[in-house]
Amino acid sequence: MLKAIQSAIKEASEARDVVAVVLTGAGAKAFCTGGNAVEFSTYYGGNSQEFRRFMRLFGDTVSAILACDKPVICRVNGLRSGGGQELGLACDISVAQDLAMFGQGGPKHGAAMLGGATDFLPVMVGAEQALALGSLCEPVSAHKARRIGMISAVVPALKVDGRFVPNPLVITDRLVDEFGEMVLGEPKTGEELAKGKELLAAGEVDLSLLDAKVDAICAKFVPMFPESLSKTLEELRKPKLDAWNRSKESGRAWMALNMATEAKAGFGAFAVGTKETGREIDFIALRKAQAAATPWSEELIADLMPGRRE
Ligand SMILES: CC(C)(COP(=O)(O)OP(=O)(O)OC[C@H]1O[C@@H](n2cnc3c(N)ncnc32)[C@H](O)[C@@H]1OP(=O)(O)O)[C@@H](O)C(=O)NCCC(=O)NCCSC(=O)C1=CCCCC1=O
């Protein structure tokens, strides 16, 4: 799929009759949740040289987006996380349906977001927000993503009784709480959340406003001089591209070697875990093992798997 995306972007970049490129996923649930986490465990876990080859494919896809002579729009049709978030961040403009969530898998799964997110986020949302997003690994709603400048537009997608309503699971009707803390796009809690879930269950998802918004953005590029537009994109992409070019090779090497240790454990936990056991390692057991200077081994990894201790 990564090879197909690369060649499609290159083809569109060169095509004289193409104005803009839209990168999207199928359906309304997910844009992309990143690499196949099970395959990361079963094939790439402990297989650093093979993962280095995968990372070349992934990195070249990010580079193809950043080198496209046409504007690249990310149509965020649903959850965008892990490598999906990195591909999306590489795009020039992101527009999301407002039920979509954004996630940075990273350290929770034994990885660092070196497929572009650690390069792009600081220049897009500022160092403070990037550090909070990238290190805390907490999901972010489309409304919050819009508020902090990670995406350019958000449109409603839930239709209840024939009318569009905003995502009922997050706060959309106020910017700050009574203490002045920013709450727009933060998750609802308690009774408000329970009501939101009821509304969500009563509605249906309709992406027509997302399509209309993406079409409208693409149409804005038609009455423009193509070469001037390409040059503008080239210049405006520089902060992202410079950061990416500085670290992509060392990032690739680190990701590959890390497949022998933390990523092997993290993706292994996703592969063997269930809804009941959870899909993360036993972090307390890992902290205790490392406090005792225990080296990485097959035994340690097996001992960290979810459901191992009751
Ligand atoms: C947060 C999730 C994406 C979604 O959680 P939730 O809404 O609770 O749904 P689930 O029940 O977990 O998921 C539904 C089913 O989809 C399967 N699924 C989802 N994502 C993946 C994936 N990436 N790989 C394989 N399978 C996936 C999930 O197993 C469910 O299937 P089932 O048969 O059990 O019903 C959550 O699923 C999640 O955290 N997923 C893992 C995300 C992840 O780790 N992605 C990889 C990150 S690393 C990456 O992408 C990289 C790319 C290149 C650069 C290097 C790199 O690390």
Side-chain angles (χ1 to χ4, degrees):
M1 184 181 280
L2 290 171
K3 284 181 186 168
I5 295 173
Q6 278 172 43
S7 63
I9 288 173
K10 282 181 188 155
E11 202 179 309
S13 178
E14 283 165 24
R16 295 178 184 85
D17 57 352
V18 169
V19 172
V21 174
V22 177
L23 187 61
T24 191
K29 289 199 172 147
F31 165 74
C32 171
T33 62
N36 182 336
V38 177
E39 192 178 78
F40 276 19
S41 159
T42 54
Y43 184 70
Y44 293 113
N47 205 343
S48 293
Q49 69 282 10
E50 277 301 289
F51 198 64
R52 217 165 83 84
R53 297 181 63 201
F54 169 84
M55 282 304 290
R56 173 63 74 214
L57 273 184
F58 189 85
D60 283 356
T61 312
V62 170
S63 296
I65 295 171
L66 289 163
C68 184
D69 280 340
K70 313 290 163 61
V72 184
I73 317 298
C74 182
R75 174 185 176 273
V76 191
N77 55 305
L79 178 63
R80 188 173 101 174
S81 74
Q85 164 76 330
E86 309 198 279
L87 294 178
L89 290 171
C91 297
D92 299 313
I93 294 176
S94 287
V95 183
Q97 63 108 329
D98 83 341
L99 300 173
M101 297 293 289
F102 294 77
Q104 353 282 322
K108 279 266 181 218
H109 295 289
M113 307 169 308
L114 304 184
T118 50
D119 301 310
F120 305 144
L121 278 173
V123 298
M124 293 171 78
V125 302
E128 172 74 25
Q129 290 289 340
L131 279 158
L133 288 172
S135 62
L136 294 175
C137 304
E138 287 168 349
V140 167
S141 72
H143 287 278
K144 179 168 178 181
R146 170 77 178 95
R147 166 160 66 78
I148 64 178
M150 192 200 285
I151 64 175
S152 290
V154 56
V155 294
L158 184 66
K159 244 181 179 174
V160 180
D161 298 332
R163 283 184 53 236
F164 279 104
V165 297
N167 181 345
L169 304 184
V170 301
I171 297 167
T172 53
D173 59 351
R174 53 194 187 276
L175 184 56
V176 292
D177 68 11
E178 57 188 313
F179 303 108
E181 174 63 6
M182 297 272 191
V183 291
L184 181 74
E186 296 296 343
K188 286 181 180 169
T189 52
E191 206 175 309
E192 234 190 337
L193 176 62
K195 280 190 187 151
K197 283 184 178 170
E198 267 176 39
L199 198 60
L200 185 65
E204 56 181 357
V205 179
D206 176 342
L207 298 189
S208 56
L209 293 184
L210 180 65
D211 288 327
K213 187 75 185 171
V214 170
D215 284 352
I217 292 174
C218 291
K220 284 185 190 192
F221 291 119
V222 177
M224 286 187 191
F225 287 100
E227 292 302 312
S228 304
L229 176 58
S230 290
K231 182 63 182 160
T232 302
L233 294 171
E234 255 172 56
E235 293 301 318
L236 291 173
R237 283 174 186 158
K238 270 184 184 164
K240 282 178 16 180
L241 192 60
D242 287 350
W244 169 241
N245 283 339
R246 267 199 310 274
S247 61
K248 65 182 182 185
E249 294 305 327
S250 61
R252 175 186 176 220
W254 185 90
M255 291 290 280
L257 293 174
N258 187 54
M259 262 297 166
T261 54
E262 292 193 357
K264 183 172 180 181
F267 291 113
F270 185 85
V272 303
T274 61
K275 288 269 181 218
E276 290 68 43
T277 61
R279 302 186 101 168
E280 290 171 8
I281 64 151
D282 182 340
F283 286 109
I284 302 300
L286 175 64
R287 294 284 178 179
K288 283 183 178 166
Q290 296 213 331
T294 310
W296 281 99
S297 65
E298 293 296 331
E299 294 70 37
L300 173 62
I301 291 176
D303 208 34
L304 299 175
M305 290 301 110
R308 178 88 176 186
R309 289 183 188 77
E310 290 310 322

